[in-house]
Amino acid sequence: MKELMKRNAKVTVLLFTLALLFVMAGCGKKTYATVGEWYDDNPAAAAAITRAINASGNGESMTIAIEENNIIYRIVMDEETFGSSEEMDAFYAQVFDEMLSADEASIKKNIDAIAQDTGVDASKITIIYEVYNPGASTPGYTKSFKK
């Protein structure tokens, strides 16, 4: 559990870093049709996001993808977490729900900042957390946040 809490704190820091990068790159700039378009048009910001992930010590276990208006945090656990039993899957889902729900207000503020700086309507932006077992191609846990 301690590892999960530590990982959640790092994800939160990365989320704030992403929002800050949008603010830095967006001041007085043009608006975009999608967040992905902004990301593709700002390679310096994309590189800074990658550096922030690597600096957090999670470069191998956490990635970010921006697809259209979805900002997806993909976290790979250190060991098999999901799939051993329905009871344990439900337990881990509850733990992740509690950790992420504690940050929901901040996540939604970041959606507002991203919307303001990209020109994309906040109601169209989704932040998604996906948690995977090592080597898995489908997440064992997913949670989305919208305005």
Side-chain angles (χ1 to χ4, degrees):
M1 278 308 112
K2 189 182 252 186
E3 178 64 29
L4 292 175
M5 291 170 54
K6 192 159 96 176
R7 190 174 305 250
N8 182 53
K10 290 178 181 180
V11 169
T12 301
V13 168
L14 290 172
L15 184 60
F16 286 122
T17 302
L18 177 63
L20 179 60
L21 291 170
F22 277 98
V23 171
M24 292 183 332
C27 297
K29 304 283 181 180
K30 69 178 188 174
T31 58
Y32 296 87
T34 67
V35 176
E37 184 182 300
W38 173 88
Y39 189 75
D40 292 343
D41 198 37
N42 289 283
I49 291 167
T50 300
R51 281 193 305 275
I53 290 171
N54 291 336
S56 74
N58 284 320
E60 292 179 13
S61 62
M62 184 185 316
T63 58
I64 184 172
I66 300 178
E67 301 168 358
E68 296 289 318
N69 289 318
N70 297 318
I71 301 166
I72 307 163
Y73 288 92
R74 294 182 174 129
I75 302 162
V76 177
M77 299 304 291
D78 295 334
E79 56 189 54
E80 295 290 320
T81 302
F82 302 102
S84 64
S85 73
E86 286 185 28
E87 183 178 277
M88 287 306 296
D89 288 354
F91 170 75
Y92 283 119
Q94 180 181 353
V95 170
F96 284 114
D97 279 343
E98 289 173 5
M99 288 189 312
L100 291 170
S101 292
D103 290 334
E104 186 170 1
S106 296
I107 292 167
K108 289 187 176 182
K109 283 182 187 176
N110 287 332
I111 289 172
D112 286 336
I114 292 165
Q116 181 178 6
D117 295 320
T118 61
V120 176
D121 186 301
S123 67
K124 295 180 180 179
I125 298 171
T126 304
I127 295 179
I128 304 166
Y129 290 88
E130 297 178 339
V131 183
Y132 294 81
N133 281 335
S137 60
T138 58
Y141 171 84
T142 302
K143 183 158 181 105
S144 300
F145 294 90
K146 288 185 78 81
K147 281 297 287 190

